[in-house]
Amino acid sequence: MRPPSSPVLRPLLATTAGVLLLAGCGSSGADMPSAESTAASSAGSSAGSSAGASPAGDEPVLEGDTCAQLREAGATGASFGPVQAALPKQDLVAAIEEKLTPLQQSDPAADVAAEWSTAQAYLEQYLAAAQAAPDGGTVTDATLFNPGQEVSDAQDALTDWWFATCA
């Protein structure tokens, strides 16, 4: 007989397994890689991982493609998720730019172009609001730090695409 919490544990176990798999594939040697070590190990192994990755759609993953462009711009698996809310202006601007820069400096893959556009437009709007905040202040517009389903779905799709195609 299964314990009643089994459906709750499955996503947690799958996430944990994915993190452990990714940590084992990196060149940093750390049990739980930081954003910097993940970016460094991705950049260091981009040629090998691009050629052997499984495409999310019908397009093959080739060297010099979107994945390589994203890696060169500093993207990691965390690059497409939500921005931490209620950060002071300086920290918020840096956090948004860290997520926005790879999107701006790379060509979107055809299978996630709509999601890419949604996420990029949202981050550009959030960045403008963060830059306009007073020094030491925060963004108080709830639609920016809680952007809604369309943006959340776009972020999820990009994150899934990254792990299925680029990681």
Side-chain angles (χ1 to χ4, degrees), residues 20 22-34 36-38 40-42:
L20 291 174
L22 289 174
C25 293
S27 62
S28 68
D31 289 339
M32 197 64 141
S34 66
E36 294 89 26
S37 67
T38 302
S41 66
S42 293

